[in-house]
Amino acid sequence: MSGKATALTGAASELRNRAAKAVAVFLIFAIVGPPIAALIAIGIIPFFEPGWSIVAENVEDSINGIGRLLSAAYFLGSLQLGVTGFAAALWLFFARRPRVSVILVLLTSFATAVIAVFVLANPMAMPAPDPGIVAAFLVLHVGAAIGCWLVANAVLRTWEWRHARMVTP
């Protein structure tokens, strides 16, 4: 009887560990993703506005501009990155792999970005959206998803390392 109880306890512990990892991956995508997208936006905005600079004439305007950029990133990107994070969390939970798949993240983030472009651009309306803006939107979203993938896998690697240290005598 104790062998069965030990096996059930081990299975429950492993299930809890997988669920905690999946929740952590989702939260990384939903919370860390928009600031990564805002940093990418700071990097690509000068390509669209050649004279633009993140540094304003005074510090207060710089802080307000960065705050607006972050709020726009959370407003526009949190849903798409949340969907990508949810897909990554489900894959991590059900596939029983130690890391999140980069292919899954790329495909999911690209698909959600394309869907968002169609929803925001209203393809039946004229004129069509500028291809540069569409490309920038895709770069922002896929780039933020890659950044989240890197952070999530680093957290998962640290998680496994700590777990191995606790188990090993």
Side-chain angles (χ1 to χ4, degrees), residues 35-49 52-54 69 136 139-140:
I36 292 173
L39 288 174
I40 294 171
I42 290 170
I44 66 172
I45 285 176
F47 292 113
F48 295 100
E49 294 285 332
W52 186 83
S53 174
I54 188 68
L69 184 63
V139 165
L140 281 173

Side-chain angles (χ1 to χ4, degrees), residues 9-144:
T9 304
S13 174
E14 196 259 331
L15 184 65
R16 253 192 327 265
N17 191 25
R18 281 193 353 240
K21 286 181 183 181
V23 168
V25 166
F26 172 75
L27 290 176
I28 287 169
F29 275 84
I31 295 171
V32 177
I36 292 173
L39 288 174
I40 294 171
I42 290 170
I44 66 172
I45 285 176
F47 292 113
F48 295 100
E49 294 285 332
W52 186 83
S53 174
I54 188 68
V55 181
E57 291 183 16
N58 60 20
V59 175
E60 188 175 315
D61 289 343
S62 292
I63 292 172
N64 287 336
I66 291 172
R68 286 187 191 118
L69 184 63
L70 280 173
S71 64
Y74 273 106
F75 182 73
L76 296 173
S78 61
L79 182 62
Q80 292 94 356
L81 287 166
V83 168
T84 305
F86 185 69
L90 285 177
W91 185 87
L92 186 70
F93 185 79
F94 289 113
R96 297 182 182 191
R97 304 282 176 143
R99 308 271 187 286
V100 178
S101 169
V102 70
I103 302 297
L104 172 84
V105 168
L106 288 174
L107 291 176
T108 308
S109 66
F110 187 77
T112 56
V114 167
I115 291 169
V117 165
F118 280 124
V119 167
L120 292 176
N122 192 5
M124 299 303 170
M126 294 305 270
D130 183 54
I133 293 174
V134 172
F137 188 76
L138 293 175
V139 165
L140 281 173
H141 187 69
V142 174

